[in-house]
Amino acid sequence: MKKAKSREPNAESLNPLKSKTILLGVSGGIAAYKACDLASMLRRAGAEVHAVLTANAREFVTPLSLKTITRNAVHCEQFSGDGEWRPEHIDLAQKADLVLIAPATADLIARLACGICDDLLTTMILASRAQVMVAPAMNPRMLEHPATQHNLSVLQNRYRYEIIPPEVGEVACGDFGAGKMASLETIMATVGARLLSHRTLAGREILVTAGGTREPIDPVRFIGNRSSGKMGIAMADAAYARGAEVTLISTVEVDRPYPVLLVETAQDMQEAVETEFDNCQALVMTAAVADFRPLAVSEHKIKKTESEDLLLELTKNPDILDLLGRVKRKDQIIIGFAAESEALLTNATDKLRRKNLDVIVANDITVPDIGFGSDDNAVIILNEDGSRENLPRMPKRAIAEHLCDLLAERFAALEKPKSKVPN
Ligand code: C5P
């Protein structure tokens, strides 16, 4: 069996920050003093850095320091009468490749979660279409307060901002806990990774399924499975962040900026996937679809009877992937998933072939603490050409990023003109 090819590094993968315009938002916490070092690291890595300071940030760090370090004007005032008809900060917000807020205070996070733009920084963030990355820094009790947690969740889940988690340690006021701004090295690495994956799926139509189907027995009960939908949602989020036109067909309700079609049963899911499939360039079938459903659904709640047993007659559900594998066009890519409790590679390879998939993502469900319901998983990615890649335990979002890389490579290969065979 062939091993996965290692990716050739290119200029961008060596230095993803080169010539990128980064808007560095600095808000008023003590960690603002680190913004100077961060600006310097970003600039030395090749980025064009434009710092924007809130009024409170100016209590900790001066515009002059950041102007000297970034070699660019520092922006502070929303209403500066510099004579230009079009404010420079709107141009800047629009041309930025990335907005990085470091440090982000609880107050700034709260204002962003509400869409308030009462100063220059919040106005620029709202006026920008660039990916926003947020590095919170605050007292541990402020971070764990439900209001801050809720606001962070809104930024992350609703607006797709990337949160660079704060670290545990002693914070400036002497308290100990989570709240220290992530290290500058972590911030630099996260920014680099984000810029690398930037819009590599722009305009691609990607259909993702997520969650476990529920097959009703009666109006109250159903046959379900342990799938949480986290992998499929992570996949849809990652593809969307790279510019794809995502449609998510899910059994789990989520609030997202892309279309989410809510379904319950395998038959609902089949109908939705079949309707959308023609218009998609890739289908990522993450959902755990029930193989069987009750043959008859009782109209009324089934009552307890004298008998000790209740016999449920089940009938087979359609295998959605199998059906679509048969009709898929040459320009479509299908990725399936195989959750196995034995003979992982044999069973996954068999499914890959039988269902005519391009890729199958196999995971061993007997490994404790990962997989169903967890934020992490460990998987093997098997390609139809026999090559494979082992991904050790990592967050589902990181697995999704790998799958996005793989999709981007496959789309590029599909578009490469075939070399002419000489006569
Ligand atoms: O054969 P098995 O159910 O293990 O295959 C798993 C893969 O097939 C997953 O990608 C799942 O979404 C898909 N599947 C399907 N329709 C079914 C059962 C599974 O599309 N009825």
Side-chain angles (χ1 to χ4, degrees), residues 22-26 35 39 48-54 63 66-67 70 72-76 92 120-121 124:
I22 296 184
L23 211 72
L24 175 62
V26 184
E48 181 74 22
V49 184
H50 296 269
V52 186
L53 271 63
T54 64
L66 277 158
K67 180 177 160 184
T70 61
N72 277 314
V74 168
H75 306 268
C76 302
L92 251 178
L120 183 63
L121 179 57
M124 287 175 85

Side-chain angles (χ1 to χ4, degrees), residues 172-303:
C173 55
D175 284 358
F176 189 88
K180 258 173 91 80
M181 187 167 80
S183 73
L184 299 188
E185 290 70 26
T186 303
I187 296 177
M188 288 295 288
T190 317
V191 166
R194 167 59 61 184
L195 286 170
L196 262 186
S197 63
H198 183 63
R199 301 198 65 78
T200 48
L201 292 174
R204 302 292 185 187
E205 279 149 340
I206 300 184
L207 183 60
V208 182
T209 66
T213 61
R214 290 174 166 195
E215 308 299 328
I217 298 171
D218 66 16
V220 182
R221 305 163 179 112
F222 58 83
I223 299 177
N225 61 64
R226 294 182 195 280
S227 172
S228 61
K230 286 182 178 173
M231 184 65 235
I233 295 165
M235 181 66 209
D237 287 348
Y240 179 77
R242 292 181 184 223
E245 305 276 336
V246 172
T247 303
L248 176 66
I249 299 174
S250 174
T251 63
V252 183
E253 210 171 340
V254 279
D255 186 10
R256 288 295 190 272
Y258 47 79
V260 180
L261 312 177
L262 200 59
V263 294
E264 186 174 329
T265 66
Q267 285 173 302
D268 295 344
M269 185 166 280
Q270 177 191 14
E271 203 182 310
V273 177
E274 283 183 347
T275 309
E276 300 292 325
F277 185 66
D278 239 12
N279 295 324
C280 82
Q281 295 170 280
L283 165 66
V284 187
M285 191 76 195
T286 319
V289 186
D291 290 327
F292 294 94
R293 67 175 185 276
L295 184 60
V297 181
S298 169
E299 195 187 332
H300 300 287
K301 185 179 170 191
I302 300 173
K303 296 274 180 253

Side-chain angles (χ1 to χ4, degrees), residues 285-287 289-291 318-321 336-337 351 355:
M285 191 76 195
T286 319
V289 186
D291 290 327
D319 190 312
I320 307 169
L321 265 191
F337 278 69
K351 275 175 202 172
K355 301 190 186 195

